[in-house]
Amino acid sequence: QQMRESTMFGSMNLEFAPTVASTNSLTQMFVDNGSGRDDDKTAVHPFSALTADNIDASIASWDETQHRCITPTILIKICKKLGYTLEWERVSSPQRYMKTVQEVLNKIKDCPVDVKQWICNIKLPEVAVQKMDKRAKTLTLTSGSLLREILGMLGEKRITIDKIKKEQRDYVIHANIQIAKLKKELDLSKGDKERSREGSADEIKEKIQSLENSKTMVEEQIYYLSTDIGSVSISGKWVREYAEGHDALSADELAAVLSGAEVFFDDERLDAPLRKANPKQVQIIDTISSMYGRNDPRVQNVVVHDSEHRIGLDTLAQAFARAGRSGVNNCVVMAIIDPHLLECFRAGSAMRSSVSKMDVYNKDTPKTERKRAPKPEDAKEEAAAATARETSTGATEAPKAAASKPSKSEEAKEAGEEEEVPDDWAAGLDGDDEEEEVPDDWAAEEG
């Protein structure tokens, strides 16, 4: 429907590949009320931002990527209101569940206005934020500054220069403890005929000397630091280069770089020290544009922060699809979003789809000569014209003419111009972003 109504694509001959409505998981949405507490997040659904006046148009604009946000909790409530019998056979597999959702949505269109408004007003007080499995991951996506988002996640638990200095002091304390243990072991081994577990007397002395040296060779010392996002390992040399002196990172920059997040800031001042800090993330954070290709089966929750108000319905749906990719274990994943993102589900909301945004950009872009798509008869006409040219000039003249006339790329180089690069929509597609195989049954891989 978006393509047919588009000013860019609507006049074209459009062909659509057949699809099978299915999903690896369903998404329970929560709006974040801003306090940061789990008990201050409200469970919502796609109808929460709708009214009886726009529910029909909104439903008509959805597809299976939005249908995945209709969880069993909301589906059961609607079915009871409509008198729709919900049997196990109708929801026993992902495909059947999605088909049932579509059938129920079609019935809503024929409902009286008061029933439609009742559906939009449904509350879910019984649905609360669930505690995650320790092995699970949360993916946080932002449309704004990656640095600000990381700092917000860290809160007071950020790495500071004071914590690094403490690690350096602790390094020396730990080395002294190890030296004392080795010296004691050395004394005991002198009167014992059996070999010490630390080795021979010479080997123990060598270990003691190595530890003594490490206390003074500060730049070679290694410090291990961790946050709720991940962990890093930095050397004394790293500390001197990036945490001390006039060119040191600021307190905020230092905290973000040492958060453990495996990100790309697109700023070499931050990216260089981050690479050298050897980050190992346990929770994932990234920009909304970098989410494609993320298929970590351990991601069960998604947090979407749209501080720049750039995200539309298509992008939001793709963000939700980053969680529950495995299709096993927890089949209802959690998505925490900013309140205004609920409006994406409402038909007519500004800039709600990728196609509508492309129409706006196309409208605002200066008009240039656009070549129409080639037709089969064009090839015949070109072949006939080429034959005529060869007949009039002689086929043997063509190689000479080609050799004497420089190519467009050569002319551009002589003029100091850049050679034109073809604009390929598919250039940035990631093969890993294909849909994974969907199990035929919710419990197909259990046990």
Side-chain angles (χ1 to χ4, degrees):
Q1 183 177 347
Q2 292 179 29
M3 295 292 285
R4 292 192 180 100
E5 295 175 354
S6 167
T7 57
M8 282 186 67
F9 305 107
S11 60
M12 299 181 180
N13 294 324
L14 301 174
E15 294 184 15
F16 300 93
T19 60
V20 177
S22 187
T23 182
N24 279 346
S25 62
L26 302 173
T27 304
Q28 174 59 61
M29 296 185 293
F30 294 83
V31 291
D32 190 341
N33 297 317
S35 70
R37 303 193 319 270
D38 286 345
D39 60 356
D40 195 27
K41 294 177 175 61
T42 305
V44 292
H45 47 81
F47 305 100
S48 296
L50 308 184
T51 65
D53 294 332
N54 56 36
I55 190 172
D56 289 353
S58 298
I59 289 175
S61 70
W62 298 345
D63 58 24
E64 61 271 13
T65 57
Q66 286 79 52
H67 296 170
R68 67 183 293 150
C69 297
I70 300 176
T71 62
T73 303
I74 186 69
L75 182 63
I76 291 171
K77 290 178 181 289
I78 295 174
C79 287
K80 286 183 178 179
K81 184 68 174 179
L82 302 185
Y84 182 89
T85 303
L86 198 59
E87 300 174 345
W88 169 246
E89 186 62 25
R90 295 181 183 273
V91 295
S92 59
S93 73
Q95 291 87 350
R96 295 186 186 118
Y97 184 91
M98 297 300 278
K99 183 179 179 181
T100 299
V101 168
Q102 183 63 68
E103 291 175 357
V104 173
L105 291 176
N106 290 337
K107 288 184 177 296
I108 291 175
K109 296 178 183 179
D110 300 326
C111 290
V113 173
D114 62 323
V115 175
K116 292 179 179 179
Q117 191 59 55
W118 181 90
I119 292 172
C120 296
N121 294 340
I122 292 177
K123 306 297 182 185
L124 303 173
E126 70 275 25
V127 179
V129 174
Q130 300 295 314
K131 289 185 177 181
M132 278 205 316
D133 187 298
K134 292 182 178 180
R135 296 168 296 177
K137 288 185 177 181
T138 295
L139 170 61
T140 300
L141 298 168
T142 179
S143 66
S145 165
L146 200 52
L147 187 142
R148 285 201 308 269
E149 193 68 35
I150 291 174
L151 295 178
M153 289 181 67
L154 291 172
E156 298 298 322
K157 298 179 181 179
R158 60 169 63 185
I159 302 299
T160 63
I161 187 63
D162 289 338
K163 288 185 178 180
I164 294 174
K165 293 298 183 184
K166 183 179 183 303
E167 283 294 319
Q168 290 181 318
R169 293 193 296 271
D170 289 346
Y171 185 96
V172 175
I173 293 172
H174 181 73
N176 287 334
I177 292 172
Q178 291 299 110
I179 290 171
K181 288 182 178 179
L182 288 171
K183 287 182 175 179
K184 184 177 181 180
E185 191 72 23
L186 182 61
D187 292 338
L188 292 174
S189 65
K190 291 179 180 179
D192 196 339
K193 295 181 180 180
E194 293 185 5
R195 177 186 174 89
S196 168
R197 60 184 179 181
E198 296 292 345
S200 65
D202 289 340
E203 288 173 338
I204 295 174
K205 290 178 181 179
E206 189 174 321
K207 289 181 180 180
I208 293 172
Q209 187 59 50
S210 177
L211 286 169
E212 291 286 3
N213 293 339
S214 72
K215 292 192 298 181
T216 58
M217 300 171 67
V218 178
E219 291 200 356
E220 295 183 13
Q221 295 175 3
I222 302 297
Y223 316 115
Y224 299 93
L225 305 162
S226 64
T227 70
D228 291 340
I229 297 176
S231 61
V232 294
S233 58
I234 57 176
S235 66
K237 182 181 180 181
W238 191 101
V239 176
R240 179 180 59 80
E241 289 182 354
Y242 300 113
E244 299 175 337
H246 297 296
D247 296 328
L249 299 173
S250 68
D252 285 348
E253 291 171 338
L254 184 69
V257 167
L258 296 182
S259 66
E262 298 175 29
V263 296
F264 180 65
F265 290 105
D266 198 20
D267 180 350
E268 192 60 20
R269 172 178 167 77
L270 303 179
D271 291 329
L274 185 145
R275 289 192 299 269
K276 296 176 183 178
N278 308 304
K280 303 292 182 184
Q281 63 189 12
V282 292
Q283 300 300 335
I284 309 171
I285 180 171
D286 213 337
T287 60
I288 202 75
S289 60
S290 301
M291 67 179 172
Y292 299 97
R294 288 194 177 276
N295 299 308
D296 191 332
R298 290 170 294 178
V299 173
Q300 291 188 14
N301 297 329
V302 176
V303 178
V304 183
H305 289 159
D306 184 29
S307 59
E308 302 300 310
H309 288 245
R310 293 175 179 170
I311 296 176
L313 184 60
D314 299 330
T315 301
L316 188 64
Q318 285 299 317
F320 292 168
R322 299 308 101 190
R325 303 286 284 186
S326 67
V328 296
N329 298 325
N330 185 11
C331 292
V332 179
V333 297
M334 182 173 67
I336 300 174
I337 63 176
D338 294 338
H340 74 270
L341 287 174
L342 263 181
E343 298 175 8
C344 292
F345 289 91
R346 188 177 68 240
S349 62
M351 305 290 279
R352 66 188 299 272
S353 75
S354 301
V355 176
S356 63
K357 288 185 179 182
M358 290 170 65
D359 284 341
V360 173
Y361 296 151
N362 183 57
K363 179 181 178 181
D364 295 339
T365 302
K367 302 297 181 182
T368 57
E369 183 180 353
R370 294 188 176 94
K371 294 183 179 180
R372 65 176 175 84
K375 297 181 178 180
E377 53 266 29
D378 294 342
K380 297 179 180 178
E381 293 176 3
E382 180 62 27
T387 302
R389 287 195 298 271
E390 289 179 1
T391 303
S392 61
T393 61
T396 56
E397 295 290 329
K400 295 180 180 179
S404 61
K405 184 178 180 179
S407 66
K408 289 184 178 181
S409 61
E410 290 172 340
E411 289 176 349
K413 289 179 181 178
E414 290 178 3
E417 300 175 354
E418 290 288 335
E419 185 175 354
E420 185 178 355
V421 179
D423 183 16
D424 187 353
W425 285 106
L429 292 180
D430 187 342
D432 290 339
D433 206 36
E434 298 176 355
E435 282 293 325
E436 299 176 14
E437 184 178 353
V438 180
D440 185 55
D441 192 284
W442 293 113
E445 298 189 36
E446 290 186 0

